[in-house]
Amino acid sequence: MTDPEIYDGLTSILRQVFDDPELVATPDLSAHDVAEWDSFNHINIVVASEMRFGVSFKSSELEDLKNVGDFVALIRDKKAA
Amino acid sequence: MLFHSPEFLFAFLPLALLGYYLLGRLPNKLWAVGWLAAASLFFYGWGNVAFLPMLLISLGLNYLLGIMLVEKPRPWLLLAGVAANLAAIGFFKYAGFLVEILNALTAADVPVPHILLPLAISFYTFQQIAYLVDCHEGRIGRPNPVRYAMFITFFPQLIAGPIVHYREIVPQIERDETFRIDQAKLVLGFTVFCFGLFKKIGMADTLAPLAQPLWDLAAGGEAAYLAFAWRGAVAFALQLYFDFSGYSDMAIGLGLMFGILLPFNFDSPYKSQTIIEFWSRWHITLTRFLTAYLYNPITKTVMRRRMERGQPVWTPRKPQLLPFLVMLAFPTLVTMGLAGVWHGAGWQFIVFGLLHGAMLVANHGWRATSAGRARIPAPLSWLLSPVKVLVTFLAVTVSFVFFKSPTLTDAMTVVRGLVGMGEHGGYLYFGDTVVVLFGLFIIWALPNTQEWVGLKAHSAPKAPARERARFAAFYWKPSPMHGLMVGAVLCITLLRIFGSPPAEFLYFAF
């Protein structure tokens, strides 16, 4: 799976979770940029991503993510493995 | 041994530092690490040697479990390890409480066991649970036993946190630079330590006698009059903050003196505008532990099940009641209820946790439905910020009444006073009120310790860069002026320490 495909998938997940059709997943986007991105919506995004990309994340892997770029890298590594 | 006792300040700490940096000159740094672990065990056993075996057993068993999990991750083994750790806390902390409940429910008369709670058991157990999960998830290689012992027992954080992860500490003691004397780190660490000491001795211990009379009244079943009740309750909220964040500052300062950076535990929590924000700034390392190992797994399970069944999932802009209750309210209340019980066995702690759970749920609900409401225009919303901070602070103050009260009855008596239903209490001395106002000034108007010394680099969404520039002379830097200032603060604090016997930290009870 290529990075652009992952970004596209995340964009549609983010739009759905935050109900905001203008949101675009970019490498630098982080929880600080979206007012409603709290711990709950974070899990919402994680579970939606797990189902969409057919991967599963460990709790500790998610703790160190700083932005969408980190998240995409994690998904890419999981798909490659 | 307490951080503010003379035997710690003038004997233990200098010797521990000296040995550490002398042994740190040897090519094999494990000597220095071992020295630190041994010193930490000595520190722990100083007050009561009887607690030492329990710590050593826990340390040994978790180390072995960790190795087994690193070699071959097995879910049942992880589960058994976590259960064994929880059983140990459960026995020491809750056996008495559970017997009391059993007696009340069944009218049986089982004698209530009085079990001595080993110091710091909640902290070192949680830290090792997180470690076992890390081992199981393949995040760490086979640990070295000496480094592991030091990671768990490191005396600055052993007694009352911060609760640290393996990956935060061990990579630091695997680097050779850590063991080289770094003047900048020593000075910075000592400065942070002095400020923690001042928060504890200068603030918390001064506020304590202003809070206590309110609870003395409640113990006799008497509710205080309104002003007396509020001044007492606010004094306690301030005392608890200065006490615990002072402890955390001292821990971080001591860590730095050994070249090791510990995570921050407080980030000006009383400046929060909402309860959600409060919990991201108060006892941060406990919040992140509970979020990662309790709240997230529960929420994830519930959410996954709903998604797989095609049931509606809660999203902030399309609020629906059932998904809200199942997916947000339920995990929040469970997590906060358990967080309450973590602090101690007793109904007052359960109420404390559930009260915060309820406030968090209300906060989430309000936030979720706010999309439909009109946004408040900018000048008005600036005016509103202090109001939000005040309301959050008062809500937290009321919740801490349950935290401090020895029983639920006492807590309700104090609350009666807070709502104006009492008439007891003494005269409010002006000088005492000034102390409370000074405390409020510190928490609301001044930067916190890590901001002041410029340590807050790791995850600051709102870096006070502009303020720093404006009051550049005020912020700490290694200069004679600031050295004098810190020295003066230390002098005042030491004079107080020798003037009276040291009081224990509030969080030692957990």
Side-chain angles (χ1 to χ4, degrees):
Chain A
M1 190 172 241
T2 63
D3 279 11
E5 284 169 343
I6 301 175
Y7 277 106
D8 280 349
L10 279 178
T11 298
S12 78
I13 288 172
L14 291 176
R15 287 180 180 177
Q16 201 186 350
V17 167
F18 297 109
D19 196 31
D20 179 349
E22 319 231 300
L23 262 179
V24 177
T26 55
D28 296 331
L29 189 75
S30 79
H32 297 310
D33 303 319
V34 184
E36 282 141 343
W37 197 323
D38 56 21
S39 53
F40 177 80
N41 288 321
H42 192 69
I43 305 172
N44 204 339
I45 295 165
V46 167
V47 175
S49 308
E50 284 184 344
M51 300 183 82
R52 183 176 190 115
F53 300 112
V55 291
S56 118
F57 304 107
K58 292 166 182 166
S59 55
S60 53
E61 289 171 333
L62 299 166
E63 267 178 74
D64 299 340
L65 298 178
K66 282 187 283 299
N67 52 33
V68 170
D70 284 358
F71 193 40
V72 169
L74 182 65
I75 296 170
R76 186 207 313 129
D77 294 349
K78 293 230 156 215
K79 290 304 281 183
Chain B
M1 207 183 297
L2 299 166
F3 288 165
H4 51 287
S5 61
E7 60 267 29
F8 177 84
L9 290 171
F10 299 111
F12 178 84
L13 181 60
L15 286 175
L17 278 169
L18 192 70
Y20 176 74
Y21 283 115
L22 279 178
L23 290 169
R25 299 167 82 100
L26 297 174
N28 188 349
K29 305 300 176 198
L30 281 179
W31 287 105
V33 176
W35 166 263
L36 213 46
S40 298
L41 288 173
F42 177 83
F43 169 88
Y44 183 78
W46 178 263
N48 191 342
V49 186
F51 295 150
L52 209 48
M54 181 62 206
L55 174 64
L56 289 173
I57 290 169
S58 169
L59 200 64
L61 287 182
N62 280 302
Y63 175 70
L64 292 178
L65 265 173
I67 287 185
M68 286 158 79
L69 285 169
V70 166
E71 277 169 1
K72 192 167 172 229
R74 279 157 290 194
W76 66 267
L77 191 62
L78 175 68
L79 216 63
V82 173
N85 275 297
L86 291 178
I89 312 191
F91 172 73
F92 285 105
K93 215 163 169 168
Y94 305 110
F97 183 50
L98 293 176
V99 170
E100 272 175 38
I101 293 178
L102 185 79
N103 283 345
L105 286 179
T106 61
D109 200 15
V110 183
V112 177
H114 287 281
I115 303 162
L116 198 57
L117 184 68
L119 190 64
I121 186 168
S122 311
F123 287 96
Y124 68 68
T125 305
F126 269 31
Q127 196 154 310
Q128 295 188 103
I129 289 177
Y131 167 76
L132 292 181
V133 175
D134 279 352
C135 287
H136 181 256
E137 295 190 342
R139 299 203 91 205
I140 39 194
R142 201 187 161 92
N144 171 289
V146 181
R147 290 201 186 99
Y148 180 73
M150 180 272 170
F151 151 63
I152 297 299
T153 61
F154 190 36
F155 71 88
Q157 46 103 106
L158 172 64
I159 310 292
I163 300 165
V164 290
H165 285 297
Y166 185 87
R167 59 180 176 280
E168 286 171 320
I169 302 302
V170 174
Q172 297 191 58
I173 51 173
E174 282 171 344
R175 280 196 297 267
D176 281 1
E177 308 93 85
T178 305
F179 304 90
R180 232 169 277 145
I181 295 189
D182 181 342
Q183 233 181 18
K185 271 189 183 167
L186 265 177
V187 171
L188 184 63
F190 190 63
T191 304
V192 173
F193 178 80
C194 288
F195 269 80
L197 202 60
F198 172 74
K199 276 184 176 173
K200 164 67 184 161
I201 306 293
M203 297 307 300
D205 289 356
T206 312
L207 285 156
L210 306 185
Q212 195 52 43
L214 181 59
W215 275 270
D216 292 342
L217 279 177
E222 293 179 337
Y225 65 90
L226 195 66
F228 194 85
W230 276 104
R231 203 198 64 183
V234 167
F236 179 69
L238 291 173
Q239 182 201 344
L240 186 63
Y241 168 71
F242 284 117
D243 187 278
F244 194 18
S245 78
Y247 185 89
S248 296
D249 284 355
M250 283 188 243
I252 291 163
L254 290 167
L256 278 174
M257 289 164 80
F258 289 91
I260 295 163
L261 183 64
L262 297 171
F264 296 114
N265 224 2
F266 287 88
D267 185 15
S268 301
Y270 290 151
K271 288 179 188 163
S272 306
Q273 297 193 8
T274 64
I275 289 287
I276 296 176
E277 192 186 343
F278 175 79
W279 278 102
S280 69
R281 303 172 78 158
W282 172 276
H283 205 174
I284 297 167
T285 57
L286 177 69
T287 305
R288 75 173 181 180
F289 180 92
L290 294 173
T291 307
Y293 301 110
L294 206 58
Y295 178 83
N296 284 357
I298 300 175
T299 313
K300 249 177 110 171
T301 313
V302 175
M303 198 177 296
R304 180 171 275 278
R305 190 167 298 167
R306 288 188 75 86
M307 280 185 183
E308 279 166 359
R309 289 187 189 154
Q311 288 163 325
V313 169
W314 168 260
T315 55
R317 301 266 170 104
K318 290 187 205 115
Q320 285 167 292
L321 190 62
L322 188 68
F324 178 77
L325 291 178
V326 179
M327 298 176 60
L328 220 150
F330 167 69
T332 305
L333 286 172
V334 170
T335 307
M336 293 312 290
L338 288 172
V341 179
W342 177 83
H343 285 92
W347 291 106
Q348 73 277 27
F349 289 110
I350 297 177
V351 171
F352 167 75
L354 290 179
L355 203 58
H356 272 280
M359 291 195 287
L360 284 169
V361 170
N363 196 170
H364 275 292
W366 173 263
R367 186 187 277 188
T369 51
S370 67
R373 286 191 291 273
R375 290 235 174 258
I376 300 162
L380 202 65
S381 70
W382 293 330
L383 285 174
L384 217 56
S385 307
V387 178
K388 286 183 182 167
V389 170
L390 185 68
V391 171
T392 305
F393 175 69
L394 294 180
V396 170
T397 300
V398 173
S399 75
F400 282 149
V401 166
F402 291 89
F403 191 91
K404 174 161 170 73
S405 300
T407 67
L408 204 51
T409 321
D410 286 12
M412 289 318 291
T413 308
V414 173
V415 170
R416 279 218 317 272
L418 290 175
V419 294
M421 287 167 67
E423 60 215 4
H424 299 275
Y427 181 73
L428 291 176
Y429 289 97
F430 178 68
D432 293 348
T433 306
V434 169
V435 173
V436 174
L437 291 175
F438 182 59
L440 290 173
F441 170 76
I442 294 182
I443 57 157
W444 280 333
L446 295 185
N448 59 40
T449 312
Q450 61 264 31
E451 285 168 345
W452 188 66
V453 298
L455 253 177
K456 202 187 167 192
H458 67 314
S459 67
K462 294 163 242 158
R466 235 180 354 172
E467 262 177 70
R468 277 194 87 86
R470 205 183 312 158
F471 302 105
F474 165 76
Y475 282 92
W476 184 82
K477 54 186 162 304
S479 75
M481 203 265 288
H482 286 95
L484 273 175
M485 199 173 127
V486 175
V489 168
L490 181 64
C491 253
I492 297 169
T493 315
L494 287 180
L495 283 174
R496 285 209 52 159
I497 293 178
F498 294 119
S500 59
E504 279 214 2
F505 290 94
L506 293 175
Y507 257 76
F508 275 26
F510 312 126

